[in-house]
Amino acid sequence: MEEALLRGLLGFLEALRAEGVRPGQGQIQAWLQGLLLVPWEGEAFYLASRALLLGRKEDYPAFDRAFRRYFGLLRPKALPHQVAQGSLPVLGPGEAEGEGVLRGAYSPLERLLRRPLEALAPGEALLLSRFLLALAFPPPRRPVRRRRRGGAGERLSLPATLRRALRTGGEVLDPRFLKPRRQPYRYYVLLDVSGSMAPYARALFLLLQALKGRGFPLEAFAFGTRLTRISPLLPLPPGEALPGLGRLAEDFAGGTRLGESLRAFLEAEGRRLGRRSLLFVLSDGLDQGDPEEVARALRALRRRVRRIYWLNPLAGLPGYAPLARGMQAALPYLDALLPAGTGEELLAFLRRLRGLP
Amino acid sequence: MDPKPAFSPESPAAVAALLERGRYIAEEGLSVALFLALRLGRPLLLEGEPGVGKTEVARVLAEGLGVPLVRLQCYEGLELEQALYEWDHARQLLEIRLLESIGEKDPARLRASVYREEFLLKRPVLEALELGEAVLLIDEVDRTDEAFEAFLLEVLSDFQVTVPELGTLKARARPFVLLTSNRTRELHDALRRRCVYYWIDYPSLEKELRIVRARLPELPEALARRVVALVQRVRGLGLLKPPGVAETLDLAAALLALGAEDLTPGVLEPALGALLKAREDVERVRGALAELLPLL
């Protein structure tokens, strides 16, 4: 099993122990094996974990609490039925993968990670996001110039030390220090929900939900022909949020106006951006607007944010070259163009988030 | 080397389908747990209120897999011999007589011919180990004592049994072991940790209706629905012995036998005994019928 996956899974055991449930070694081993056996559909991941890690009914509530806390946002019960019974069929194990000889060579987990996001059934997309969330981490915090009191930092705080010394008759018995203050970045995400991106948008949206659920300060916008703030949809259960997103996408069926959307974002949020802001554009770059407009908007945005990343679902395909007009225009202003077409690529992206400068 | 688990279903859905062919409607949680137990070669521990169909799982599973079901019914005072093996002393004595009559006197040879496998009476655990491809149901394990539990633990980890006179008998394939418990006593953690676990709850109304319809297809659907709705409400009354699914089926069958067309107090009263097993409960429900029935 991939190391990061393993780490993410083992993290759940911590959450479980924090709730007072302590599975034995044999149970943990069986769990790791069992997860590779169950097809990741419906509630199977939840049910399998519960069957393998617990030995008494009394632990069910504690397990549910840990599961919710660790895998985030989702009530396990709300998972399969509402979402998986959408319009797309849920694939059976090893079905419709077109992997031919490779079929069965991967665990369901690996297959899920390698399958193109567009081919994921709703239930699977949800499981993937849940799983990525399991690997996710609280937003990294970066030092800022201001400092805060407390602990044994590297700089003495004279005011605090003196105040403390007054209690002991002016004798400095307890020097106080300053510690560097740490804060997370602010994350701005522009999600392309136009026709060509529709198959990916759902999975990417679930990833955003996962990050938000993990405490990322994240503002999200959907765009096609127009720009709409979708941050209020993020905390909703996927069963409620996804139809909302779908309606938006229908409004945008006209196509993509990248440049105008970027411009609208700049106008709406420009003043709030700053050196602690990271901008992520999730789009295939297929644009019906003016490429020059894209370049102009990005040039302006570049001066206002710390980094601009472009996640393109197509970028990981063999032989991909950024030929789409919108993509071409954007390239000079990006810090990186990242693939985002499979679970694996999203995983790599999450790793990168963790290691951001 | 561990013997391999004998059965290997494709997916939880395959397990669910197999159970459904035996007219057992399983929740997803149960089919997932059963699937994992089968695939990982671990015993499955099923707990739940009486009458939710724990034992039935084993029966339907064995039938579906086409393997024998070996059942060890536990009770207080169950001895190892009754679970493992006994020597057939009567036949051993006869054998000795027989050998003496043909002049055999050598004690070593007498001993060897008497302690042979054919004089071994195999009891459920040994029988299941020998069969390998079998479902071993250890029913109501909570009724035995702790010493027996420890013994079970040993068998479940090694899948072998040592008969001092014969040596070690090892399972060729690993039988599938299903343990059930009604929780009259708390099982030891060590045993729990060895197992895949599932708590069978009372089924939801829809689920229970499906079960009744699957078992008693000749019962009109409207009546079936009212019977199930009644039972579901009765379970909420805080009775001494709340009715399980088995009791729902009993009641439904009783109504069918009585030729009932609707659920009225007049029809129900004589049939209540099928549903309730304690006098206090019967009285309690009889008193509440006037309230319960109009709500269904």
Side-chain angles (χ1 to χ4, degrees):
Chain A
M1 198 183 288
E2 208 204 311
E3 195 203 326
L5 297 187
L6 197 60
R7 263 207 311 277
L9 287 173
L10 295 181
F12 175 60
L13 294 177
E14 288 300 311
L16 207 52
R17 286 189 198 110
E19 291 286 349
V21 182
R22 302 178 174 278
Q25 276 310 312
Q27 282 172 303
I28 292 171
Q29 257 174 36
W31 178 53
L32 293 173
Q33 284 167 13
L35 284 186
L36 297 179
L37 293 175
V38 290
W40 284 41
E41 297 159 10
E43 293 184 273
F45 177 75
Y46 163 77
L47 291 170
S49 302
R50 203 180 60 174
L52 293 171
L53 289 172
L54 301 189
R56 65 183 74 237
K57 169 204 169 202
E58 285 70 19
D59 289 340
Y60 278 8
F63 179 86
D64 283 357
R65 281 195 301 276
F67 196 90
R68 204 165 325 155
R69 193 154 56 79
Y70 191 73
F71 291 105
L73 73 153
L74 307 162
R75 287 165 302 154
K77 286 283 170 206
L79 247 175
H81 318 296
Q82 293 135 15
V83 188
Q85 286 171 8
S87 52
L88 288 167
V90 176
L91 295 176
E95 250 178 82
E97 284 175 324
E99 282 182 352
V101 273
L102 278 182
R103 175 181 289 193
Y106 300 119
S107 69
L109 197 59
E110 285 165 301
R111 284 201 303 250
L112 188 66
L113 282 173
R114 282 164 203 243
R115 185 114 46 85
L117 294 182
E118 61 173 329
L120 294 187
E124 291 173 319
L126 198 52
L127 277 165
L128 175 65
S129 79
R130 223 164 24 136
F131 193 71
L132 290 174
L133 177 62
L135 306 173
F137 42 91
R141 293 169 175 273
R142 298 297 153 193
V144 294
R145 291 191 74 86
R146 289 173 57 213
R147 282 159 187 272
R148 64 184 174 86
R149 271 185 284 144
E154 61 265 49
R155 230 168 67 184
L156 194 67
S157 165
L158 273 178
T161 305
L162 281 177
R163 267 199 304 278
R164 189 55 62 108
L166 285 178
R167 293 188 204 164
T168 47
E171 199 74 34
V172 179
L173 295 177
D174 185 13
R176 309 304 286 173
F177 294 92
L178 289 174
K179 268 175 51 170
R181 187 186 291 260
R182 299 176 85 84
Q183 275 180 354
Y185 289 118
R186 289 207 302 273
Y187 298 79
Y188 289 90
V189 180
L190 306 184
L191 174 62
D192 187 343
V193 294
S194 64
S196 59
M197 278 290 288
Y200 301 100
R202 187 180 51 221
L204 291 171
F205 177 79
L206 290 171
L207 178 68
L208 297 184
Q209 283 202 310
L211 287 171
K212 183 78 183 179
R214 240 349 196 184
F216 276 70
L218 188 145
E219 282 287 338
F221 299 81
F223 71 93
T225 46
R226 282 179 295 110
L227 184 79
T228 309
R229 182 164 171 271
I230 53 169
S231 304
L233 291 182
L234 290 177
L236 300 180
E240 291 168 38
L242 287 174
L245 191 72
R247 277 192 296 279
L248 265 183
E250 275 166 35
D251 295 345
F252 297 154
T256 319
R257 300 204 161 268
L258 252 175
E260 282 169 40
S261 301
L262 288 169
R263 168 69 52 190
F265 171 71
L266 181 66
E267 278 161 15
E269 298 291 319
R271 276 176 295 116
R272 277 189 280 274
L273 300 176
R275 292 299 294 159
R276 302 199 62 76
S277 303
L278 305 174
L279 177 60
F280 300 88
V281 183
L282 277 48
S283 168
D284 54 12
L286 296 175
D287 182 23
Q288 282 146 353
D290 178 5
E292 182 49 35
E293 177 80 26
V294 176
R296 262 203 307 275
L298 281 175
R299 204 177 306 134
L301 282 168
R302 214 192 138 83
R303 288 197 297 270
R304 287 172 171 79
V305 298
R306 186 180 193 93
R307 296 271 189 276
I308 302 180
Y309 293 97
W310 195 295
L311 276 74
N312 188 329
L314 309 178
L317 298 178
Y320 171 83
L323 298 178
R325 288 192 312 161
M327 202 64 255
Q328 283 263 310
L331 269 183
Y333 307 100
L334 305 182
D335 290 280
L337 171 62
L338 305 169
T342 64
E344 259 182 345
E345 287 167 358
L346 293 183
L347 194 61
F349 164 66
L350 282 180
R351 289 224 187 86
R352 197 179 170 104
L353 268 192
R354 182 176 291 187
L356 273 177
Chain B
M1 264 279 291
D2 263 359
K4 286 259 163 303
F7 328 109
S8 214
E10 258 309 291
S11 65
V15 174
L18 185 140
L19 293 178
E20 194 154 353
R21 276 199 296 280
R23 294 199 288 177
Y24 188 99
I25 314 288
E27 291 134 48
E28 193 187 354
L30 176 59
S31 43
V32 167
L34 202 49
F35 164 78
L36 288 168
L38 286 165
R39 284 294 292 266
L40 296 172
R42 288 170 83 81
L44 175 65
L45 170 60
L46 284 179
E47 287 191 312
E49 304 294 341
V52 290
K54 299 186 292 294
T55 304
E56 192 67 5
V57 174
R59 194 186 61 72
V60 173
L61 184 71
E63 204 177 283
L65 293 170
V67 300
L69 170 68
V70 182
R71 176 170 174 174
L72 174 66
Q73 172 64 51
C74 298
Y75 50 87
E76 223 181 304
L78 175 67
E79 299 283 344
L80 281 188
E81 293 80 55
Q82 285 140 335
L84 267 183
Y85 65 90
E86 285 167 279
W87 287 108
D88 191 342
H89 298 302
R91 284 189 55 215
Q92 282 176 318
L93 284 175
L94 271 178
E95 177 79 3
I96 292 174
R97 288 278 164 75
L98 200 68
L99 289 171
E100 279 172 353
S101 72
I102 57 170
E104 178 62 72
K105 295 234 172 62
D106 179 24
R109 269 206 298 247
L110 271 179
R111 197 184 151 75
S113 54
V114 158
Y115 285 109
R116 274 182 294 141
E117 217 175 322
E118 61 169 300
F119 296 115
L120 202 61
L121 291 174
K122 285 165 191 159
R123 300 300 182 202
V125 172
L126 187 58
E127 190 190 339
L129 285 188
E130 277 232 320
L131 284 167
E133 301 208 344
V135 172
L136 171 60
L137 169 65
I138 302 175
D139 217 1
E140 308 193 341
V141 64
D142 51 323
R143 297 195 179 203
T144 61
D145 54 16
E146 271 147 35
F148 191 83
E149 216 179 285
F151 152 74
L152 274 182
L153 209 62
E154 213 179 291
V155 173
L156 295 183
S157 48
D158 302 340
F159 285 94
Q160 62 180 35
V161 164
T162 304
V163 180
E165 297 87 351
L166 280 182
T168 299
L169 305 176
K170 203 169 167 57
R172 272 186 298 277
R174 191 184 282 195
F176 178 63
V177 182
L178 208 150
L179 301 106
T180 75
S181 158
N182 288 332
R183 312 200 121 191
T184 54
R185 168 177 76 82
E186 190 60 17
L187 299 180
H188 202 274
D189 263 353
L191 184 64
R192 291 181 182 277
R193 286 190 169 171
R194 176 98 38 209
C195 300
V196 178
Y197 178 82
Y198 188 69
W199 171 270
I200 303 191
D201 224 331
Y202 289 122
S204 66
L205 191 141
E206 285 312 313
K207 176 89 184 310
E208 192 164 18
L209 185 59
R210 277 180 64 204
I211 296 171
V212 172
R213 300 281 293 153
R215 289 305 182 84
L216 297 165
E218 60 276 32
L219 190 72
E221 166 148 22
L223 184 54
R225 182 171 281 277
R226 295 201 69 196
V227 169
V228 171
L230 172 73
V231 178
Q232 296 246 336
R233 290 190 62 90
V234 164
R235 279 186 197 130
L237 293 178
L239 303 179
L240 293 176
K241 289 191 192 304
V245 182
E247 281 71 34
T248 313
L249 289 168
D250 285 349
L251 175 63
L255 291 173
L256 201 61
L258 292 169
E261 280 166 14
D262 195 11
L263 218 51
T264 59
V267 174
L268 254 178
E269 288 218 6
L272 273 186
L275 188 66
L276 304 165
K277 302 295 152 79
R279 199 168 54 86
E280 294 91 326
D281 289 347
V282 175
E283 273 160 23
R284 179 88 194 282
V285 171
R286 189 175 292 144
L289 271 185
E291 260 171 80
L292 285 173
L293 283 180
L295 293 172
L296 304 178

